[in-house]
Amino acid sequence: MDAVIHLAGASIAGRFTPAHRAAVRDSRIGPTRALAELAGRTPDGPKVFVSASAIGYYGPDRGDEMLDESAARGDGFLAGLVADWEQATAGAAAAGLRVVNVRTGLVQSPRGGTLRLFHPLFAAGLGGRLGDGRMWQSWIGIDDLVDVYHRALYDAGLSGPVNAVAPEPVRNAEYAKTLARVLHRPVLLPVPGFGPRLLLGEDGATELAEASQRLYPAALLGRGHRFRHPTLEPALRHLLGT
């Protein structure tokens, strides 16, 4: 075995109840630590340990600050969770494995994530921005995300945290306009602020639906990485076949 790619973890989507927080945390920290330590102590074992991570590390609202991998950790439940999740890979790093923590942004795929939720609404002509639409959305197409994991396997110069996001983040209002244009539909009234709170609760709405993170993939671009779809509209047209 040459490498380990570790992706497992309960979905963060849902109301941030104590049970949900525990499930999200327990499915990440302990299993990641056990797997990293096992990889590190296996004779003639893997030389690379690639672990999923998340842009929640930067906290739910950093304003217009452009965040690369050197940016400080933010506040909130997800920021603490991601910091501990990445620390759980320390056993592999201590054993000399090259460790890559893939801080994944909002993955665009019609089969999952936010696009799966928004597509039917916008296709029915019912889509709109969330609230004032000013929150930054750091997105990445599913094909580009696969490329990031592929690069993490073979690029010996890539290690530590890696922002897996396209180089052109957009505000939520621009995302809504772009998706509507791709689907040839109007952009209607914004989704009121109480909508996400009904579904996710106060903390869930703040850390998920209303999160604003303007990220830059400095580590990838520093290695000469080329994105298939660095801008949003071509990515959505490719994914939705329009």
Side-chain angles (χ1 to χ4, degrees), residues 20-225:
H20 180 66
R21 291 172 188 255
V24 168
R25 184 176 179 83
D26 293 348
S27 65
R28 285 165 171 75
I29 310 304
T32 299
R33 180 180 296 111
L35 192 58
E37 291 176 353
L38 177 60
R41 67 173 180 265
T42 299
D44 298 319
K47 301 298 186 292
V48 182
F49 191 91
V50 183
S51 181
S53 184
I55 64 174
Y57 175 87
Y58 301 102
D61 188 2
R62 300 289 288 269
D64 292 336
E65 181 183 0
M66 186 68 83
L67 305 166
D68 65 16
E69 290 84 355
S70 67
R73 170 189 148 185
D75 299 320
F77 168 71
L78 292 180
L81 168 70
V82 175
D84 290 345
W85 191 9
E86 293 184 357
Q87 180 59 34
T89 65
L97 279 70
R98 180 169 61 85
V99 173
V100 183
N101 304 105
V102 182
R103 290 178 178 168
T104 310
L106 299 174
V107 182
Q108 301 300 296
S109 167
R111 299 182 61 185
T114 56
L115 185 57
R116 184 180 181 184
L117 295 174
F118 292 150
H119 181 205
L121 291 174
F122 278 79
L126 301 175
R129 70 179 190 269
L130 295 176
D132 64 11
R134 290 190 54 78
M135 64 282 284
W136 285 101
Q137 296 192 309
S138 293
W139 60 277
I140 186 170
I142 185 66
D143 297 329
D144 273 313
L145 181 60
V146 173
D147 285 349
V148 172
Y149 276 99
H150 185 209
R151 187 174 200 105
L153 288 177
Y154 74 75
D155 188 344
L158 198 65
S159 64
V162 172
N163 286 344
V165 296
E168 297 290 339
V170 297
R171 294 191 188 273
N172 173 260
E174 182 61 28
Y175 181 94
K177 290 179 181 178
T178 304
L179 181 55
R181 183 165 59 248
V182 166
L183 294 172
H184 307 289
R185 295 292 187 272
V187 179
L188 296 180
L189 296 175
V191 176
F194 66 80
R197 281 164 172 73
L198 288 176
L199 296 175
L200 302 171
E202 185 71 28
D203 291 343
T206 298
E207 298 219 29
L208 295 177
E210 299 172 356
S212 181
Q213 298 142 329
R214 187 186 184 192
L215 267 67
Y216 184 71
L220 289 169
L221 295 179
R223 299 298 301 167
H225 187 78

